[in-house]
Amino acid sequence: FINREFYLHSILPNILTKLSLPDLWRDIAYTKLMLLNKRIEYGVRMLVNAYRDDHINPVTNMSEDQLWIRSMYLESAIETYNKVVDYVYSIIYFRFNLDSLEILKRKDVIKYSSNRYVKHNEINSWLESNNSTSHFKSLLGKYIKCTNSNKKNANDFKHWGCFNVKGLEIQALDLKYFVKGKEINYHEIINGNPLDIDFEIENLVTIHNETIKLIEALYNICFRADKWR
C-alpha cells in the first residue's frame, strides 16, 4: 500500500517563471492546477495515515485510539478528493476564458471561480464541441461516476464525522420513536450505515490512481506541454 509509486512522481514545473509573454487567464489556470497538485499530495498523506494503525499521541507519547484517529485522517482524505472535480472545471474555465471576461483585480478571480460562472453543464458542452477536448470530457465523465460514492461519504462525514465509521457509532437506545403518530426509524437516523474504514481506504486508493490520470490529461489539454510525470 505505502510505496513510492503511490505518490505523485514530481511537482508540476513552475512554467510561469519561464514564459516571455504573460497571459493572465492561462497563468491563473496553471496556478490553480499547481494548487490542485498540492492538495492531492496532502490527500495522499492523509490516506496513508488513515491506513496506519500505529499512531502515537504527541502529548502523552502513548498509543492513540487507533480507529478514531484513523477515521479523522480518512475524513480529511475524502474531503480532499471530493474537491477535485470542482478544481478541474475551474481550471478549464480560466484556461480558455470561456465567457471572455476581464480580470482587473485579485477579487475578480474569486468571483469568477464561483458556480455562477463555472457552470459544469456549459463546460461539458464546450468540451464535447471541440475535437481536441472531447476525449477529456469522456474521461471526466468516467471519473465523476467513479467518485460518486466518495461524494456521498464526504457529505456523511460533514454531518456525522467519525461516528460515521463502524466501531465508532453512537450507542443509541433500542426504542420506538413516533412523529405525528408515524413510527420513525430511530437507529437509521442516528447511526445511518456506518462505513467500513478499510474498504473505504482501498476505494480511495483507486480514486487516487484515477485522479492522477485525470490531472495528467487536464495538463495536456490545457497547456500543450510534455507530460510532467
Side-chain angles (χ1 to χ4, degrees), residues 40 81 84 143 207-216:
I40 295 304
Y81 289 97
V84 170
Y143 181 84
I207 289 175
H208 170 81
N209 292 332
E210 294 303 313
T211 301
I212 300 307
K213 296 176 185 177
L214 185 72
I215 294 176
E216 289 182 332

Side-chain angles (χ1 to χ4, degrees), residues 123-166:
I123 295 174
N124 285 339
S125 297
W126 182 85
L127 289 170
E128 288 179 334
S129 67
N130 289 275
N131 292 332
S132 61
T133 58
S134 59
H135 68 287
F136 181 81
K137 167 59 177 63
S138 176
L139 181 64
L140 179 58
K142 292 177 182 177
Y143 181 84
I144 291 173
K145 289 182 179 179
C146 170
T147 57
N148 275 341
S149 62
N150 190 62
K151 192 175 186 66
K152 178 183 180 302
N153 290 345
N155 193 49
D156 288 344
F157 265 111
K158 176 181 178 181
H159 296 285
W160 300 102
C162 62
F163 298 131
N164 195 47
V165 172
K166 285 182 181 178

Side-chain angles (χ1 to χ4, degrees), residues 8 11 40 61 65 110 121 128 130 153 159 184 228:
L8 298 188
I11 298 174
I40 295 304
N61 205 32
D65 178 338
I110 299 173
N121 289 337
E128 288 179 334
N130 289 275
N153 290 345
H159 296 285
I184 303 300
W228 47 269

Side-chain angles (χ1 to χ4, degrees), residues 44-187:
V44 170
R45 291 174 183 269
M46 296 301 100
L47 186 51
V48 170
N49 279 323
Y51 173 79
R52 291 174 49 204
D53 59 2
D54 59 351
H55 297 285
I56 300 297
N57 187 302
V59 177
T60 64
N61 205 32
M62 302 287 288
S63 178
E64 292 269 28
D65 178 338
Q66 297 302 315
L67 185 56
W68 168 75
I69 197 70
R70 290 177 66 205
S71 73
M72 301 304 286
Y73 280 122
L74 176 64
E75 178 179 1
S76 293
I78 286 175
E79 288 177 350
T80 296
Y81 289 97
N82 190 51
K83 296 174 181 176
V84 170
V85 170
D86 285 339
Y87 264 94
V88 168
Y89 279 111
S90 182
I91 290 165
I92 293 171
Y93 179 82
F94 276 87
R95 175 61 185 94
F96 299 103
N97 190 5
L98 296 184
D99 287 332
S100 300
L101 299 171
E102 291 186 353
I103 295 175
L104 303 177
K105 296 181 179 180
R106 187 177 176 90
K107 66 180 182 180
D108 291 336
V109 178
I110 299 173
K111 180 175 72 173
Y112 296 150
S113 296
S114 70
N115 291 336
R116 178 183 174 187
Y117 293 92
V118 185
K119 299 174 182 177
H120 293 194
N121 289 337
E122 292 183 7
I123 295 174
N124 285 339
S125 297
W126 182 85
L127 289 170
E128 288 179 334
S129 67
N130 289 275
N131 292 332
S132 61
T133 58
S134 59
H135 68 287
F136 181 81
K137 167 59 177 63
S138 176
L139 181 64
L140 179 58
K142 292 177 182 177
Y143 181 84
I144 291 173
K145 289 182 179 179
C146 170
T147 57
N148 275 341
S149 62
N150 190 62
K151 192 175 186 66
K152 178 183 180 302
N153 290 345
N155 193 49
D156 288 344
F157 265 111
K158 176 181 178 181
H159 296 285
W160 300 102
C162 62
F163 298 131
N164 195 47
V165 172
K166 285 182 181 178
L168 295 173
E169 309 98 310
I170 296 293
Q171 298 301 308
L173 296 175
D174 186 13
L175 49 76
K176 291 185 178 181
Y177 191 81
F178 295 87
V179 175
K180 295 182 179 180
K182 181 179 179 180
E183 185 173 358
I184 303 300
N185 190 332
Y186 182 86
H187 277 275

